[in-house]
Amino acid sequence: MLLSGKAGRPPPLNLTHQAPPWRAEYKGQVNLHVFEDWCGGAVGHLRRNLHFPLFPHTRTIVKKLAVSPKWKNYGLRIFGFIHPARDGDVQFSVASDDNSEFWLSPNESPAGAQLVAFVGKTGSEWTAPGEFTKFSSQVSKPRRLMASRRYYFELLHKQDDRGSDHVEVGWRAFLPGLKFQVIGSAHLSLYTDESALKMDHVAHVPQSPASHVGGRLPQEEPRADMLRPDPRDTFFLTPRLQPASLENVLEPCAYAPTYVVKDFPIARYQGLQFVYLSFVYPNDHTRLTHMETDNKCFYRESPLYLERFGFYKYMKMDKEEGEEDEQVQHRAFLFLNPDDFLDDEDEGELLDSLEPTQAALAQSSTRPFGLARAAPTEAPTEAGTTPALPTPPSPRHQPTPRRSRALSWAARARAPRPLPLFLGRAPPPRVAARQPPPKVYVTRVRPGLRVSTRALAPLSPRGPPWSPFPGVFLRRRPLPRVQLRAPPRPPQSRSRRTGGSQATELRPPARAQATQGSREDQAHLLELTATNADLNSSSETGPVTSFLSLSQVSRPQLPGEGEEEEEEEEEEDGAPGEEALSEDSEEAAGPALSRWREDAIDWQRTFSVGAVDFELLRSDWNDLRCNVSGNLQLPEAEAVDVVAQYMERLNARHGGRYVLLRIVNVEKRRDSARGSRFLLELELQERGGGRLRLSEYVFLRLPGARTGDADGDGESPEPVPTASTRPDGRPGLCRPLRLAWRQDVMVHFIVPVKNQARWVAQFLADMALLHAHTGDSHFSVILVDFESEDMDVEQALRAARLPRYQYLRRTGNFERSAGLQAGVDAVEDASSIVFLCDLHIHFPANILDGIRKHCVEGKLAFAPVVMRLACGSSPGDPHGYWEVNGFGLFGIYKSDFERVGGMNTEEFRDQWGGEDWELLDRVLQAGLEVERLRLRNFYHHYHSRRGMWGAQRGAHSRKGSRTEGP
């Protein structure tokens, strides 16, 4: 469908009621249609395929209802007739990996097909081969069949990229004890013979309730914001206010932006760096928010950082009652200043050195736990002051006083404030009185892990260095400390995961009866614990990290100790009077060495956060790294100010004749040296008339900016009009010369094709629907055919309901550059627009209007960004990414196309890929601007290149089957 997301009832079913004439030679085989390169394991995924059911990838036959191609990501449609051997009640069953459906008609008409058995609906269900009774839905109810009749059936199967693909249908007489048997060739026949038909001949394909394209209901709630209605989508249908009545509204001015690289030597493919993006208002929802679960490149943080630390740095935890003011959480905050962000290289180096305990969740540490010597970063200041950069502290320095936190860190006159921890950068710490001993940090220790007795020696302060254990990391600097057990009393509500901050002494669990050896071990453990008295004071840590006492990691297991401890624990559990001990008393007795402490969750924890606008951090440079971010958003205040100025001039010129109803679209191209270009699209109400559409380019020139040579052709620049500057000195609007777009200009879609029958049929259907919906006759379709064998392209063009078309036939191998150049050469009017197009495109209804608005002869060319759909995705449920690197879809006036030299047919022969970047280089060097915008509902259908352009298909291409490229 051309119009995705359009609400309403589905089109009426066009079912096939009458089967074609049947012949005896049809016995022994059935029709098989294959839909390749389509993801998903549910039959519903197959129905979402653009070409289902009329245009399969392959048409062939099969001799029994048991098929296993040993392939992936495909769907099958098997249909024909079943001939029962005798009269009676019959049960059917279907088995498959993944899902499948078996439909059966009570007669030979496809319109009467009913679903009788199926395997799954979600794509996760499957059966083993021959497993006919795994699901209750597999087995049908008894059906009364007669041997003198034939019955139409349809089998649908969908396979994803996993498992052993198979689908089979069995039947049995409805008698006790009988097993299902696969239906063989003796009881099957073809629906029709397709061996002599071309791929575009689809009148014979049966359309049943199982497979008809109109049988799918539209989604009630679209998943993507872009599918929601927007005034831009249909604004082109509003009558346009004639440009002639707007010529004297603004003073004329020369338009020559400084970012144009005319005659500037650029390297090969360097033109990508000279393409700038435009700002849009209101929000057009082209940001693929539904794709950011897997791709968060819209945010400045790297995926590695977000995976480890999330978005906690944008949050400031509130201090609870009773919390000391001097305790400052080492939390990072967001500053809407690009200078506060690390570069990609710095961020990578920082993340390599970070540990999980250095995340933004850690609090109240006595020393910094980020980089050993983090370079200080200049913080944003208030009132334009610049604080002195702090120097790394030394043991001789006095502790820096801590102050309350705020989202904006300003300099203080008397004492420098600590810088915020941003991406792991810590403020200047207070130096502790003494250096704590080394700690042992355990990341993922398995319960019951024991070490050798040689680990006792390194515990001595004078012992030699020890080698790390598996999963144990040694650090010379102290790490945040955490108690292993909860305190005897329930902790007060704190803004920490681990409860209070009071240290808890480690001591072994008290036992009423213990051997002399165990007592010696306990005494030795107490001695070791006293030596490391500060190892277990409380501090916050992340939920995925754990700290163990040194004795738990390195204490050896003496002979018989493990069994003795188990016996003693059993005695403790069974001793009388132990039931009276509460949980608090057990914790007061001391932590058990083999137990773990669960993190305490503070459900009452609150935080502060400021409103953030990540659009402020984006640049108008062509971002080639992030393919889910949408168009740049223009601030509302700026758009409203420009519109207010224009409406004031318009009403002053026409005496208040027009009233602004709403701002439909504003596009801004920024030039920091001379001003900004705006495209204003406003809906107006004419006094005594109807609603009108205003769509004009205006220029907001900076005061005192030099315009330079407008065209570079030696003409003198236009004088600066005095009316373009406002009395208050702010920029004023003017009308840029030679920057007006034409609404009635002819647009030529040029598409080279070869052996793409189903895609050509879909493209022509979309173009015919575009003409019917818009009523626009000022466009034509030019197909350059490289000897297609799977369809008659010229006949398809004549049959399509298009206002204009041209058919060009070329011989030899497929050459995209040569095909596009041949199509442009066939255009006679040099003042018309040629749109270099692809075959697998889904067009929005306003595509013609979008091309005309952004193509201005001698000034602008248009390279819209298309959304490339993922495997299994459709325009009604789009999943994919914006093709930010591709410039193959390109609109330009033919006169400008010829001026830049056209396509490079010599270098890009027998290949495609890179010719669009090479053309872009020459277009920019010719002094043209290239408008780059993401268009709503503008998709590139998923397809693979396997078998494309009529390549050989190997073992999958067999006699009796007809195949086309995807």
Side-chain angles (χ1 to χ4, degrees):
M1 298 292 293
L2 181 71
L3 304 177
S4 64
K6 183 178 180 180
R9 293 175 298 178
L13 296 178
N14 185 21
L15 302 180
T16 303
H17 295 272
Q18 184 67 35
W22 184 83
R23 300 177 183 178
E25 54 266 25
Y26 289 172
K27 289 290 294 286
Q29 52 194 3
V30 291
N31 299 92
L32 171 62
H33 288 185
V34 183
F35 299 85
E36 290 193 33
D37 304 308
W38 194 249
C39 299
V43 176
H45 297 152
L46 175 61
R47 291 192 177 99
R48 287 203 295 265
N49 190 296
L50 179 68
H51 305 292
F52 183 84
L54 299 179
F55 295 95
H57 186 278
T58 301
R59 295 174 180 171
T60 184
I61 57 175
V62 65
K63 295 182 179 181
K64 62 188 303 186
L65 295 188
V67 181
S68 178
K70 293 185 178 181
W71 197 237
K72 59 183 180 180
N73 290 332
Y74 67 86
L76 299 181
R77 186 193 183 202
I78 306 175
F79 57 94
F81 296 106
I82 288 180
H83 301 262
R86 62 184 64 88
D87 298 347
D89 293 335
V90 178
Q91 271 187 313
F92 294 90
S93 181
V94 59
S96 63
D97 184 353
D98 296 298
N99 291 177
S100 60
E101 295 180 359
F102 181 71
W103 295 67
L104 183 67
S105 176
N107 47 47
E108 63 181 18
S109 173
Q114 302 173 0
L115 179 63
V116 298
F118 64 92
V119 176
K121 291 291 186 180
T122 64
S124 59
E125 303 86 354
W126 56 274
T127 71
E131 191 177 11
F132 288 110
T133 57
K134 180 177 181 179
F135 302 102
S136 60
S137 62
Q138 288 181 255
V139 183
S140 71
K141 296 180 179 180
R143 298 274 174 168
R144 171 70 63 172
L145 302 182
M146 301 180 63
S148 60
R149 297 182 180 180
R150 59 179 179 268
Y151 299 88
Y152 175 83
F153 80 92
E154 191 165 333
L155 175 61
L156 302 179
H157 172 232
K158 187 66 184 70
Q159 169 66 25
D160 60 8
D161 57 349
R162 296 166 298 183
S164 302
D165 60 319
H166 68 91
V167 61
E168 60 269 17
V169 176
W171 62 350
R172 69 181 181 185
F174 188 57
L175 295 174
L178 295 183
K179 295 184 178 180
F180 288 100
Q181 296 181 351
V182 174
I183 304 178
S185 60
H187 305 285
L188 300 174
S189 67
L190 288 172
Y191 179 80
T192 187
D193 184 11
E194 301 177 295
S195 58
L197 301 178
K198 290 185 177 292
M199 294 300 294
D200 60 330
H201 293 173
V202 297
H204 67 283
V205 178
Q207 300 187 52
S208 68
S211 55
H212 190 273
V213 293
R216 295 165 293 181
L217 296 177
Q219 292 185 352
E220 296 180 359
E221 187 69 16
R223 297 184 182 181
D225 288 341
M226 189 168 54
L227 298 181
R228 301 181 186 276
D230 189 279
R232 295 179 178 88
D233 300 337
T234 56
F235 194 47
F236 67 93
L237 298 175
T238 304
R240 185 186 179 189
L241 186 61
Q242 293 301 323
S245 60
L246 302 175
E247 291 182 354
N248 298 324
V249 172
L250 299 177
E251 294 290 337
C253 60
Y255 176 70
T258 58
Y259 49 76
V260 173
V261 291
K262 184 176 182 180
D263 300 329
F264 183 81
I266 58 177
R268 188 67 175 270
Y269 301 154
Q270 195 180 4
L272 291 170
Q273 304 177 15
F274 294 95
V275 175
Y276 299 90
L277 304 178
S278 296
F279 296 82
V280 173
Y281 174 84
N283 191 348
D284 58 353
H285 300 289
T286 52
R287 175 181 170 186
L288 305 181
T289 53
H290 63 295
M291 298 300 300
E292 291 181 359
T293 302
D294 302 323
N295 189 348
K296 298 182 178 65
C297 62
F298 177 81
Y299 304 94
R300 293 291 300 269
E301 292 77 19
S302 67
L304 175 60
Y305 183 93
L306 293 177
E307 180 69 21
R308 298 180 65 180
F309 307 125
F311 289 94
Y312 286 111
K313 74 176 187 179
Y314 300 104
M315 303 160 57
K316 173 187 175 184
M317 295 301 166
D318 296 335
K319 291 187 294 184
E320 300 293 339
E321 182 179 357
E323 185 176 1
E324 297 179 2
D325 294 338
E326 62 199 25
Q327 249 181 344
V328 179
Q329 297 177 353
H330 292 277
R331 174 76 65 196
F333 305 106
L334 170 69
F335 297 98
L336 296 180
N337 185 355
D339 297 335
D340 292 324
F341 287 88
L342 294 178
D343 295 334
D344 294 339
E345 299 178 358
D346 298 338
E347 185 178 350
E349 297 174 0
L350 176 61
L351 291 176
D352 293 339
S353 62
L354 284 177
E355 296 295 332
T357 56
Q358 299 165 342
L361 294 175
Q363 301 175 5
S364 63
S365 176
T366 57
R367 292 181 60 86
F369 47 89
L371 293 175
R373 293 171 182 246
T377 307
E378 183 179 355
T381 62
E382 298 179 1
T385 60
T386 303
L389 294 178
T391 57
S394 62
R396 298 188 302 271
H397 294 166
Q398 295 295 331
T400 303
R402 299 174 184 250
R403 302 177 183 270
S404 61
R405 296 159 296 175
L407 289 180
S408 61
W409 295 72
R412 295 294 183 259
R414 296 183 179 179
R417 292 196 62 166
L419 294 179
L421 172 64
F422 196 82
L423 294 179
R425 299 187 178 185
R430 293 189 298 175
V431 181
R434 61 186 180 86
Q435 182 74 14
K439 288 195 64 175
V440 177
Y441 174 37
V442 182
T443 54
R444 295 184 182 272
V445 180
R446 293 168 293 185
L449 182 64
R450 303 290 183 178
V451 296
S452 63
T453 57
R454 293 180 296 176
L456 281 176
L459 288 177
S460 174
R462 297 179 296 276
W466 58 347
S467 58
F469 293 91
V472 179
F473 301 90
L474 303 182
R475 295 288 182 270
R476 294 186 179 274
R477 59 179 182 272
L479 294 174
R481 296 166 290 181
V482 62
Q483 66 183 43
L484 298 181
R485 301 287 294 174
R489 298 180 305 275
Q492 298 179 355
S493 177
R494 317 276 293 192
S495 58
R496 298 186 176 89
R497 287 184 181 272
T498 55
S501 61
Q502 184 177 358
T504 302
E505 181 184 2
L506 277 179
R507 57 175 182 265
R511 295 183 175 89
Q513 298 177 356
T515 60
Q516 183 67 25
S518 63
R519 291 194 181 96
E520 293 177 359
D521 294 340
Q522 294 175 13
H524 183 61
L525 173 61
L526 289 175
E527 179 183 355
L528 294 177
T529 308
T531 305
N532 302 276
D534 294 334
L535 289 182
N536 295 307
S537 60
S538 171
S539 177
E540 183 185 61
T541 182
V544 296
T545 61
S546 302
F547 290 87
L548 300 182
S549 62
L550 294 179
S551 59
Q552 285 181 274
V553 178
S554 57
R555 178 170 172 266
Q557 179 183 6
L558 300 180
E561 181 181 358
E563 294 80 6
E564 182 180 2
E565 289 178 357
E566 294 177 0
E567 294 176 0
E568 290 174 355
E569 290 177 359
E570 293 177 359
E571 292 175 3
E572 288 180 358
D573 295 339
E578 290 296 330
E579 295 88 2
L581 292 178
S582 64
E583 183 179 357
D584 293 342
S585 62
E586 290 179 0
E587 294 175 353
L593 296 180
S594 60
R595 289 192 176 184
W596 293 71
R597 184 198 182 281
E598 295 184 355
D599 290 338
I601 302 176
D602 186 2
W603 298 109
Q604 296 178 339
R605 174 180 297 158
T606 59
F607 67 95
S608 300
V609 65
V612 294
D613 188 358
F614 295 96
E615 291 288 346
L616 297 178
L617 302 177
R618 299 181 63 189
S619 170
D620 59 351
W621 286 80
N622 189 23
D623 188 3
L624 302 178
R625 297 178 299 176
C626 189
N627 54 17
V628 298
S629 59
N631 290 321
L632 297 175
Q633 298 302 306
L634 179 65
E636 183 179 24
E638 185 176 358
V640 171
D641 181 70
V642 173
V643 172
Q645 289 190 50
Y646 189 87
M647 289 302 301
E648 181 181 357
R649 301 284 188 87
L650 179 65
N651 286 325
R653 178 67 182 175
H654 295 280
R657 183 179 178 182
Y658 302 101
V659 177
L660 176 65
L661 296 180
R662 61 177 171 177
I663 302 175
V664 177
N665 183 47
V666 177
E667 299 173 6
K668 171 191 173 182
R669 173 64 69 87
R670 181 173 58 189
D671 184 359
S672 57
R674 294 180 178 175
S676 300
R677 182 198 74 204
F678 289 88
L679 173 62
L680 302 182
E681 293 193 281
L682 312 175
E683 185 176 5
L684 306 179
Q685 177 70 48
E686 185 179 10
R687 186 176 54 195
R691 298 188 178 187
L692 296 175
R693 168 196 181 195
L694 185 146
S695 180
E696 295 295 324
Y697 281 102
V698 298
F699 187 66
L700 188 67
R701 184 165 49 193
L702 296 176
R706 300 181 59 185
T707 58
D709 193 352
D711 295 321
D713 53 3
E715 298 180 1
S716 59
E718 292 286 337
V720 179
T722 57
S724 63
T725 303
R726 298 171 60 176
D728 54 3
R730 298 172 60 186
L733 292 178
C734 63
R735 178 173 56 87
L737 292 176
R738 291 183 288 275
L739 194 64
W741 67 277
R742 296 166 49 193
Q743 187 178 12
D744 57 349
V745 63
M746 182 68 66
V747 179
H748 303 273
F749 292 88
I750 303 175
V751 185
V753 300
K754 181 179 177 67
N755 291 337
Q756 298 277 289
R758 58 175 181 167
W759 289 109
V760 171
Q762 183 65 39
F763 178 82
L764 295 179
D766 284 350
M767 290 290 100
L769 187 60
L770 178 68
H771 173 55
H773 182 72
T774 63
D776 194 335
S777 300
H778 294 83
F779 76 93
S780 69
V781 175
I782 301 177
L783 293 185
V784 183
D785 181 25
F786 285 81
E787 297 180 316
S788 295
E789 299 176 355
D790 58 350
M791 72 176 300
D792 190 339
V793 178
E794 186 176 9
Q795 176 62 30
L797 270 173
R798 287 196 296 265
R801 298 179 179 179
L802 300 175
R804 293 179 178 84
Y805 67 87
Q806 291 188 55
Y807 173 78
L808 304 177
R809 184 175 180 86
R810 292 181 61 90
T811 59
N813 297 328
F814 179 83
E815 300 179 21
R816 185 175 189 271
S817 296
L820 293 176
Q821 184 63 51
V824 175
D825 293 339
V827 177
E828 298 179 356
D829 185 8
S831 296
S832 59
I833 300 175
V834 293
F835 188 75
L836 313 182
C837 191
D838 189 42
L839 192 60
H840 315 93
I841 301 300
H842 172 94
F843 296 98
N846 59 353
I847 182 64
L848 292 171
D849 189 70
I851 294 174
R852 294 187 180 111
K853 287 188 304 186
H854 299 102
C855 288
V856 178
E857 190 170 10
K859 291 291 185 178
L860 294 180
F862 187 39
V865 185
V866 65
M867 181 181 177
R868 185 175 289 272
L869 297 177
C871 180
S873 181
S874 62
D877 187 18
H879 290 262
Y881 59 91
W882 292 109
E883 188 62 78
V884 295
N885 294 317
F887 286 78
L889 304 174
F890 203 82
I892 188 174
Y893 272 82
K894 181 185 177 182
S895 58
D896 296 330
F897 184 83
E898 294 177 341
R899 183 160 58 93
V900 302
M903 300 298 300
N904 188 345
T905 58
E906 295 296 329
E907 184 174 352
F908 295 93
R909 184 184 299 272
D910 296 332
Q911 63 175 340
W912 61 278
E915 75 281 353
D916 54 343
W917 291 349
E918 194 272 341
L919 175 63
L920 176 65
D921 292 342
R922 290 184 282 114
V923 169
L924 293 175
Q925 285 181 314
L928 295 176
E929 294 183 68
V930 176
E931 189 68 19
R932 188 73 164 160
L933 283 172
R934 293 159 175 82
L935 294 186
R936 293 169 44 86
N937 304 319
F938 187 43
Y939 305 111
H940 184 283
H941 292 291
Y942 175 84
H943 68 92
S944 70
R945 299 179 184 177
R946 197 176 69 87
M948 186 173 285
W949 318 131
Q952 296 296 327
R953 299 181 51 81
H956 285 273
S957 179
R958 299 187 178 183
K959 184 178 180 180
S961 65
R962 180 169 291 274
T963 306
E964 70 157 354

